[in-house]
Amino acid sequence: MAGVQPQDDLLKMTHRESWRMQHERLHVKHQGHEAMHAEMVMILVATLVVAQIVLVQWKLRHHRSYNLVTLVQMWVVPLYFTIKLYWWRFLSMWGVFSVITSYVIFRATRKPLSCRTPRMVYKWFLLIYKLSYAVGLLGYVAIMLTMFGFNVFFRIKAEDSMDVGVVMLFYGLYYGVLGRDFAEICSDFMASTIGYYSRGGIPSRSLSEHICAVCAQKILVDVDEEGVIEDTYQLSCGHIFHEFCIRGWCIVGKKQTCPYCNEKVDLKTMMNNPWEKTHVLYGQLLDWLRYLVAWQPIIIGIVHGINFSLGLE
């Protein structure tokens, strides 16, 4: 009976008392290891600094290979954790997104390029962009409401509402990053196929003033003539495009230059109202998150490998 008493006392303890006891045990376990902990922190900081320098130089010198490797990592690495942890809901959504996006990429890389393909590509990735924005925003709101205790008004447990908010925020940011990267690749392929755009050289075709350089269709068409009828937009360089095409090129495809002359484009001037300017900030946030999603797990894995090899556990 004497050996049973401590366990009975442990069961009677409150959550706060149990947490305090576990914290004390952890403190005793790591007591005297301050030097080892300091060494592990130094390794982490040094690895982060070196990795940041290498990644920045890689991105500056070989932008396309950096983007491609980053995209493959973001697309494939979560699949490993999904299967390992049995996240079937994420796996099903990942599968649907991958199938449709693969078809869109297939259409965007065909030669000759169909006149309908550029608009179809930008419509798909614009849909992904807007859905990711809405889902991520709802997830953020759910997290904030839970933190301020508003979940009790809906009779929802804090753990459940927080889980829903985190999952929605993750889905929004993850597919937002993927969508923008795939859109950029498709934009490069389509523009190079059409021939009015060249990243660093002279375009292979001369642009007529009545042709949109993004979709290669006439900007203004007659009533009984086949073509795209919509509003136009003129950039500061003087070149005119279909409004949907140039918005898809700049906002969805992450291009901040004219599709023909490569002159810098100010995205803020393309927004019709102040609410649309949040899309520019959201796009910048997604570009920043690419580093965390794609490279941070690998950097942490390298740090763990160094610590293990040095016997720092």
Side-chain angles (χ1 to χ4, degrees):
M1 294 297 293
V4 181
Q5 187 66 30
Q7 181 150 1
D8 292 340
D9 294 340
L10 188 62
L11 293 174
K12 293 178 182 179
M13 285 193 304
T14 63
H15 177 73
R16 182 180 297 274
E17 292 173 341
S18 175
W19 177 85
R20 185 183 296 113
M21 179 174 289
Q22 292 176 5
H23 182 73
E24 291 176 354
R25 290 175 179 174
L26 187 66
H27 181 72
V28 172
K29 178 181 178 181
H30 291 276
Q31 192 171 8
H33 297 172
E34 289 79 5
M36 183 180 68
H37 293 165
E39 188 175 353
M40 294 174 69
V41 171
M42 291 178 62
I43 291 174
L44 174 62
V45 173
T47 305
L48 288 174
V49 171
V50 172
Q52 185 68 21
I53 295 174
V54 171
L55 291 175
V56 169
Q57 291 300 317
W58 183 13
K59 185 177 180 180
L60 291 176
R61 298 173 184 271
H62 306 282
H63 182 74
R64 299 188 69 175
S65 64
Y66 170 83
N67 284 344
L68 183 60
V69 173
T70 303
L71 178 59
V72 170
Q73 286 184 197
M74 289 191 301
W75 196 18
V76 176
V77 171
L79 181 63
Y80 166 76
F81 294 101
T82 298
I83 297 176
K84 183 178 181 180
L85 300 174
Y86 305 105
W87 292 344
W88 304 122
R89 180 176 54 191
F90 178 86
L91 182 61
S92 60
M93 295 185 64
W94 183 91
V96 172
F97 172 84
S98 299
V99 169
I100 300 177
T101 301
S102 298
Y103 172 74
V104 171
I105 295 175
F106 173 79
R107 290 285 302 273
T109 54
R110 294 305 91 195
K111 293 181 179 181
L113 189 69
S114 171
C115 62
R116 300 180 182 273
T117 298
R119 300 182 68 82
M120 182 269 291
V121 170
Y122 288 128
K123 281 183 179 180
W124 167 246
F125 288 115
L126 181 61
L127 174 64
I128 294 298
Y129 182 81
K130 289 184 176 180
L131 284 177
S132 72
Y133 181 80
V135 173
L137 182 61
L138 288 175
Y140 176 77
V141 170
I143 293 174
M144 290 295 102
L145 291 178
T146 303
M147 293 181 64
F148 287 103
F150 285 97
N151 57 288
V152 297
F153 294 104
F154 302 98
R155 298 182 179 180
I156 302 176
K157 293 182 179 179
E159 296 83 359
D160 295 338
S161 59
M162 184 64 74
D163 288 344
V164 171
V166 170
V167 169
M168 293 181 68
L169 183 61
F170 170 76
Y171 278 17
L173 296 177
Y174 175 73
Y175 288 108
V177 172
L178 274 186
R180 279 173 62 82
D181 281 6
F182 278 121
E184 183 180 19
I185 292 176
C186 290
S187 297
D188 282 339
F189 269 106
M190 292 187 299
S192 61
T193 301
I194 292 174
Y196 292 122
Y197 171 77
S198 177
R199 180 186 293 269
I202 300 175
S204 58
R205 299 173 65 182
S206 178
L207 181 65
S208 169
E209 60 178 337
H210 303 298
I211 299 295
C212 174
V214 178
C215 66
Q217 299 298 301
K218 285 186 177 181
I219 295 176
L220 300 175
V221 296
D222 296 331
V223 177
D224 25 345
E225 187 179 6
E226 184 179 358
V228 179
I229 302 177
E230 69 170 51
D231 295 336
T232 60
Y233 187 89
Q234 184 175 17
L235 298 179
S236 57
C237 58
H239 293 120
I240 303 175
F241 307 89
H242 294 124
E243 185 175 5
F244 180 84
C245 292
I246 194 61
R247 282 175 176 268
W249 171 268
C250 292
I251 300 175
V252 182
K254 297 198 302 182
K255 305 295 184 182
Q256 298 186 24
T257 58
C258 172
Y260 182 68
C261 67
N262 284 329
E263 183 174 317
K264 185 74 173 177
V265 174
D266 185 5
L267 295 182
K268 294 181 180 179
T269 62
M270 298 182 62
M271 305 305 170
N272 294 330
N273 58 67
W275 294 104
E276 289 188 337
K277 294 184 179 180
T278 58
H279 290 292
V280 178
L281 298 177
Y282 180 64
Q284 294 173 349
L285 172 64
L286 293 178
D287 293 340
W288 179 75
L289 284 174
R290 295 170 76 252
Y291 169 77
L292 295 179
V293 175
W295 295 107
Q296 200 70 7
I298 295 179
I299 294 173
I300 297 301
I302 294 175
V303 171
H304 280 297
I306 296 175
N307 290 336
F308 180 79
S309 63
L310 296 178
L312 303 174
E313 298 184 33

